[in-house]
Amino acid sequence: MREELGTLRSWQRDGVRFALATVVATSQSAPRPAGAVLAVHPDGEVLGSVSGGCVEGAVVEVATEVLETGVPQRVRYGISDDEAFAVGLTCGGTIEVFVRTVAPGDLDLDALALDLEADAPVAVAVVVDGERAGATVAIRPEGVTGSTGDEGLDHAVVADARGMLQQGATGLRHYGPHGERRIDDVGVFVAAFAPRPRMLVFGAIDFAGAVASIGRFLGYHVTVCDARARFATQARFPDADEVVVAWPHRYLSETDIDARTVICVLTHDPKFDVPVLEGALRTDAAYVGVMGSRRTHEDRLARLREAGVSETQLERLRSPIGLDLGARTPQETAVSIAAEILLERHGGSGARLTDTVGPIHREREPV
């Protein structure tokens, strides 16, 4: 919903009651993940996507009906369904979509936008079936707004949503009518908007600008750090969320690193990259990559061993950084680095899809 939020807020400010379709469950090669949304304005304008084009037409029809009746609907499309094949879902997956109306007082989109802009954690839970379908709860560390309509169900949903926020997980949960854990009568979809994961780019070179741009595109909070004030400027890195003038290893030692953080070292100078790598390889970072030739890599490994970095820690180092795509320009190199980061995140093989078999999308637990 992040991309569509600006337009949805303007609709809400204008007093518009619009239809909102949300992907609440997927399986196999579904084209869009849970949480993807499509909105329909009463004048027919369509915003967003729930399937990358496969079933958009059918969902718009359902949304139009929901706008007319005010009654929410939960619909399912799968390759085994004649209806799904007719509307175009031929990718082999299945998706479930919950469609409801959103009136100005139903969900405070301005407050949600403020949370997302501040990278503050917030989860939005909505009941997707039963007599209370459409009831919405917003869960923040400092409190809860809204209700499912039942105190016991509220308690169960809030507890699960807080846990999902910590994991950065979005998905469907099932409960009894009063929050019972072993009953599946009531489905509740929880969209967890965790703070963006961090990308730390060390070295204010031209390649860093391209890496910062693609990192922002992928949803990271990007920091570019370099000890040279002349090069580490916001003007040179407009897509970075912040540009820091500091020795890389000192900045790293003062920064919170978690299991979603990615670290790209592009400094090309042993006095910068060896100390920062020594620290980075001892963190829980999801990815640590460093730029340089193979000769530089061998020299760097020797220096890191001398600094006391273990062989197990060295195995985490991605050097030379990126996948072998034949990249040459900063922009092409940034694509190869991003591809390696995605491979690490999702457990891909790096092979051409045409040379692989089985599902295209892998099911992995979120970090």
Side-chain angles (χ1 to χ4, degrees):
M1 185 186 286
R2 291 179 187 267
E3 294 79 10
E4 297 82 11
L5 194 53
T7 300
L8 297 181
R9 291 170 69 191
S10 68
W11 290 359
Q12 194 173 70
R13 289 194 208 102
D14 292 339
V16 173
R17 173 176 162 271
F18 58 88
L20 184 67
T22 304
V23 177
V24 297
T26 66
S27 67
Q28 297 179 329
S29 295
R32 295 297 305 278
V37 300
L38 178 148
V40 179
H41 192 282
D43 67 8
E45 181 181 353
V46 177
L47 176 72
S49 172
V50 292
S51 70
C54 295
V55 300
E56 253 67 8
V59 173
V60 168
E61 289 185 11
V62 173
T64 302
E65 181 179 339
V66 169
L67 271 176
E68 293 174 353
T69 65
V71 179
Q73 294 188 38
R74 181 175 170 183
V75 292
R76 177 185 179 278
Y77 302 101
I79 188 60
S80 61
D81 303 328
D82 292 338
E83 179 185 5
F85 186 80
V87 299
L89 187 62
T90 57
C91 62
T94 62
I95 62 172
E96 289 188 39
V97 182
F98 178 66
V99 189
R100 60 167 171 159
T101 59
V102 177
D106 293 342
L107 178 61
D108 190 342
L109 296 178
D110 285 337
L112 179 60
L114 288 175
D115 289 324
L116 300 187
E117 289 168 3
D119 266 342
V122 57
V124 178
V126 56
V127 180
V128 298
D129 50 29
E131 61 182 18
R132 296 193 293 272
T136 303
V137 184
I139 300 96
R140 298 175 174 86
E142 66 273 15
V144 176
T145 57
S147 173
T148 63
D150 180 87
E151 184 177 350
L153 183 57
D154 283 348
H155 180 77
V157 169
V158 169
D160 283 353
R162 293 195 189 284
M164 294 170 73
L165 262 179
Q166 292 179 347
Q167 297 178 332
T170 284
L172 194 61
R173 297 291 183 269
H174 293 90
Y175 309 92
H178 305 296
E180 297 90 342
R181 295 287 183 176
R182 298 184 180 182
I183 306 176
D184 293 340
D185 293 344
V186 180
V188 178
F189 178 72
V190 180
F193 299 95
R196 289 179 294 163
R198 299 195 66 189
M199 171 182 280
L200 306 182
V201 182
F202 294 105
I205 63 174
D206 50 355
F207 287 89
V211 171
S213 296
I214 204 165
R216 187 183 185 106
F217 179 76
L218 291 176
Y220 286 94
H221 180 282
V222 181
T223 300
V224 174
C225 175
D226 196 295
R228 303 165 298 173
R230 177 182 296 181
F231 297 100
T233 66
Q234 195 70 53
R236 295 189 69 228
F237 303 100
D239 288 330
D241 292 279
E242 58 180 349
V243 179
V244 177
V245 178
W247 280 78
H249 70 286
R250 291 176 184 167
Y251 175 76
L252 181 71
S253 68
E254 299 168 353
T255 300
D256 291 332
I257 307 297
D258 62 22
R260 300 190 302 157
T261 304
V262 301
I263 299 173
C264 302
V265 180
L266 315 178
T267 47
H268 275 306
D269 189 331
K271 71 175 178 289
F272 289 117
D273 58 24
V274 171
V276 75
L277 287 171
E278 181 185 349
L281 291 171
R282 289 173 172 148
T283 69
D284 293 329
Y287 173 88
V288 181
V290 59
M291 182 174 284
S293 67
R294 298 192 188 282
R295 178 180 298 178
T296 299
H297 170 65
E298 292 303 322
D299 176 72
R300 186 185 291 127
L301 289 180
R303 292 172 183 266
L304 288 169
R305 289 187 179 104
E306 289 177 5
V309 179
S310 71
E311 295 301 317
T312 300
Q313 291 166 337
L314 288 176
E315 288 177 1
R316 300 180 55 213
L317 183 61
R318 301 296 171 251
S319 173
I321 195 170
L323 298 186
D324 180 15
L325 304 182
R328 295 182 180 273
T329 68
Q331 292 73 24
E332 290 174 346
T333 302
V335 171
S336 79
I337 293 171
E340 186 172 50
I341 290 170
L342 291 178
L343 182 149
E344 297 283 345
R345 182 198 292 179
H346 298 299
S349 67
R352 298 173 187 267
L353 285 174
T354 190
D355 296 331
T356 64
V357 296
I360 294 174
H361 301 107
R362 292 169 170 78
E363 297 295 331
R364 296 192 74 184
E365 288 297 318
V367 175

